[in-house]
């Protein structure tokens, strides 16, 4: 199984594409930088709980939905 | 609504008590320190994704179950 950062990043990208928004738009909604979102999606960030919450809020979903891995 | 660290910590404690294990036992299973688990339960840690995964593994549950907030 892939590392958790990779699986999480893939899930973020999947939801973002489903919502049809850019990394820039997601970053704006979350109050995070576009580079940070890019790093998260590529699985190169060990993201913190607070930032996980920001991403869920940016998507307007529950945090647990970010962990609905395939 | 409480801060995410508080809600997460309450959920960890709830699952730990349901599994009837001590903070020491959970810490041992996760490969984390007892003080770290204590901090997480009190909501004073902005825990990272990797450590969230360790706690889920310690409980033998899916990560998303850690975010089943009441």
């Amino acid at each position: 199984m892939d590392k958790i950062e990779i699986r999480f990043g893939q899930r973020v990208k999947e939801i973002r594409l489903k919502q049809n928004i850019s990394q820039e738009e997601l970053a704006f909604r979350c109050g995070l930088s576009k580079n940070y979102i890019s790093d998260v999606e590529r699985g190169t960030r060990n993201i913190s709980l607070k930032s996980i919450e920001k991403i869920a809020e940016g998507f307007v979903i529950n945090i647990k939905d970010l962990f609905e891995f395939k």
Side-chain angles (χ1 to χ4, degrees), chain A:
Chain A
M1 194 187 292
D2 281 328
K3 286 197 302 179
I4 186 62
E5 306 97 293
I6 296 288
R7 286 188 291 151
F8 184 82
Q10 287 172 341
R11 181 69 179 136
V12 168
K13 184 171 184 176
E14 175 185 70
I15 297 169
R16 183 176 61 74
L17 295 180
K18 201 176 291 179
Q19 294 198 359
N20 199 26
I21 59 177
S22 64
Q23 289 185 336
E24 289 84 351
E25 172 65 21
L26 177 58
F28 175 77
R29 293 187 188 182
C30 300
L32 298 167
S33 74
K34 189 258 179 197
N35 281 344
Y36 189 86
I37 296 295
S38 174
D39 287 351
V40 168
E41 288 193 358
R42 285 183 298 113
T44 63
R45 286 268 179 170
N46 186 19
I47 187 172
S48 74
L49 184 57
K50 285 185 185 178
S51 294
I52 290 169
E53 182 185 44
K54 285 181 186 174
I55 290 181
E57 289 173 347
F59 282 140
V60 194
I61 62 175
N62 290 316
I63 295 177
K64 67 181 177 185
D65 297 329
L66 286 171
F67 293 97
E68 288 281 354
F69 300 137
K70 298 263 170 66

